[in-house]
Amino acid sequence: MARRAFAEALGTGLLVTVVVGSGLMAQRLSPGQTGLELLENSTATAFGLAVLILAFGPVSGAHFNPVVTLVDHLLGRRAGTGIRPRAAAAYIGAQILGGIGGAVLANLMFDQPAIAASTHSRTGFPVWLGELVATAGLILVVFALGRTGRARQAPAAVGAYIGSAYWFTSSTSFANPAVTIARALTDSFAGIAPASVPGFVLAQLLGAALGALTVVVLYPRRSS
């Protein structure tokens, strides 16, 4: 369990480092060009996430996301295949702590204060709706692949989904409470103001519930 939790902490931390670090680099390379900054940030995130899933998947399943862990527990509870409560709690704690560490690392690499509250406000119904859609879609992709015996395709599929969701959702697809909390600690292109975090997390939880319900309706049984 310790090894698996460490993998979740390290994987989530590196994911946040990719997101925040590429956002900081985008600011340096393309100052004031928001579209180009988003392209640079989303491309790095899509590729980085795919690689991290490949690297850590054999150890912990590469959740890197509290809502993925919660849905794994809830959907697998009846069949006895999901992550158990104690392991889920360890995963979620590790993901949050790892994410914070990843934000600190990215800030320091780019000569920023280790922790700086973001001033990037992200609030309002359209943005929350975008985050709900982003999270629901992520849950659908992850668990549809698992229930149809295509889990090996998850690195490419999940990376591609998140990369595209940067562009088709109004929230730029955080879709992850641990990453959201961590991104509040960097005053950069990838940041989110602390006051905006609760709305995002609530939207993510609702999106996860919607995504899980869709998985149950479309794929009621795990493929043999």
Side-chain angles (χ1 to χ4, degrees), residues 159-171:
Y161 174 77
I162 290 296
S164 65
Y166 262 74
W167 291 89
F168 75 75
T169 65
S170 56
S171 66

Side-chain angles (χ1 to χ4, degrees), residues 65-82:
N65 189 330
V67 295
V68 171
T69 299
L70 286 172
V71 172
D72 182 80
H73 167 65
L74 293 173
L75 292 185
R77 184 172 54 180
R78 180 175 298 180
T81 57

Side-chain angles (χ1 to χ4, degrees), residues 35-222:
L36 186 54
E37 289 175 341
L38 184 62
L39 177 62
E40 293 159 349
N41 192 207
S42 62
T43 301
T45 301
F47 284 116
L49 178 56
V51 170
L52 290 171
I53 294 172
L54 281 171
F56 293 97
V59 181
S60 67
H63 291 190
F64 308 152
N65 189 330
V67 295
V68 171
T69 299
L70 286 172
V71 172
D72 182 80
H73 167 65
L74 293 173
L75 292 185
R77 184 172 54 180
R78 180 175 298 180
T81 57
I83 188 170
R84 296 187 176 184
R86 285 185 62 187
Y91 268 40
I92 292 170
Q95 291 156 0
I96 293 172
L97 291 175
I100 291 171
V104 170
L105 175 60
N107 285 335
L108 292 176
M109 284 198 299
F110 286 87
D111 197 26
Q112 302 296 308
I115 295 177
S118 176
T119 57
H120 192 165
S121 178
R122 302 175 189 261
T123 188
F125 177 76
V127 175
W128 297 330
L129 180 60
E131 193 62 6
L132 184 151
V133 169
T135 311
L138 174 63
I139 294 298
L140 177 59
V141 169
V142 169
F143 290 93
L145 291 174
R147 289 194 166 202
T148 55
R150 296 177 294 162
R152 289 185 177 181
Q153 299 175 27
V158 173
Y161 174 77
I162 290 296
S164 65
Y166 262 74
W167 291 89
F168 75 75
T169 65
S170 56
S171 66
T172 66
S173 184
F174 285 45
N176 185 328
V179 170
T180 303
I181 292 168
R183 288 172 68 168
L185 305 178
T186 177
D187 193 15
S188 65
F189 176 79
I192 177 172
S196 300
V197 169
F200 260 58
V201 172
L202 178 59
Q204 290 158 1
L205 292 172
L206 293 174
L210 178 61
L213 179 61
T214 305
V215 169
V216 170
V217 171
L218 294 179
Y219 306 100
R221 295 179 182 177
R222 182 182 298 272

